[in-house]
Amino acid sequence: CMLLLAGRLLYMVLADAAHFPINTVKIAASYQHITRQELESVLSTHLREGFFALSTAALQQDLLALSWSQAVEVERVWPDTVNITLVEKTPIAVWNGQLMAVDGVLFCQGNETDAAVGLPQLTGPAHQQKDVLQMYEKLSKLLSTYGLSTGSLLLRENQAWELSLTN
């Protein structure tokens, strides 16, 4: 019983933010699309906890929930530091008004016009973005050997393709 009480007391001391506060947060990010304010908003809910009470997994999940987050790594560094490495998604095309990442995942619907500049416009039926992206990559590679570049690719409902060139 005494051992259990001592364990509970030790836990209360270690989990107390007053005894082991987080004084330093180091963030390695490019800040191209995710703003410092977005990060501070997510961090403010987690950094109230002490060094030992901080759930790095929960913080990582909340940071991954940001629309531009591709990968996040969170680690505690003794005695009072949290290191965060954040990698943003890189859009490779616009699919039906949404940005598309390399893996075909869609994000940021319609409100990121700056990021869409110069990206190929891909259009087609819902849930066929990976097929259209694959065809776009094949056609772009083939046409580039002739000095041509692809601007957009459309897959119609009747499975007909329409290709537009930029030159």
Side-chain angles (χ1 to χ4, degrees), residues 61-78:
Q61 287 303 313
D62 287 350
L63 290 170
L64 279 170
L66 297 172
S67 62
W68 280 91
S69 291
Q70 177 73 38
V72 176
E73 183 180 315
V74 179
E75 66 177 341
R76 285 180 268 218
V77 179
W78 180 256

Side-chain angles (χ1 to χ4, degrees), residues 79-95:
D80 63 353
T81 303
V82 173
N83 289 340
I84 299 171
T85 305
L86 190 137
V87 178
E88 292 184 357
K89 292 177 182 170
T90 303
I92 60 164
V94 177
W95 169 262

Side-chain angles (χ1 to χ4, degrees), residues 89-120:
K89 292 177 182 170
T90 303
I92 60 164
V94 177
W95 169 262
N96 293 339
Q98 289 182 283
L99 295 176
M100 184 190 313
V102 175
D103 55 4
V105 173
L106 303 175
F107 64 103
C108 290
Q109 185 171 354
N111 59 352
E112 296 289 337
T113 55
D114 291 345
V117 173
L119 293 177

Side-chain angles (χ1 to χ4, degrees), residues 133-154:
L133 178 62
Q134 186 178 27
M135 179 62 75
Y136 171 82
E137 289 171 343
K138 286 178 183 177
L139 290 172
S140 292
K141 185 176 180 180
L142 176 69
L143 292 170
S144 69
T145 60
Y146 299 104
L148 301 171
S149 59
T150 313
S152 66
L153 183 62
L154 166 68

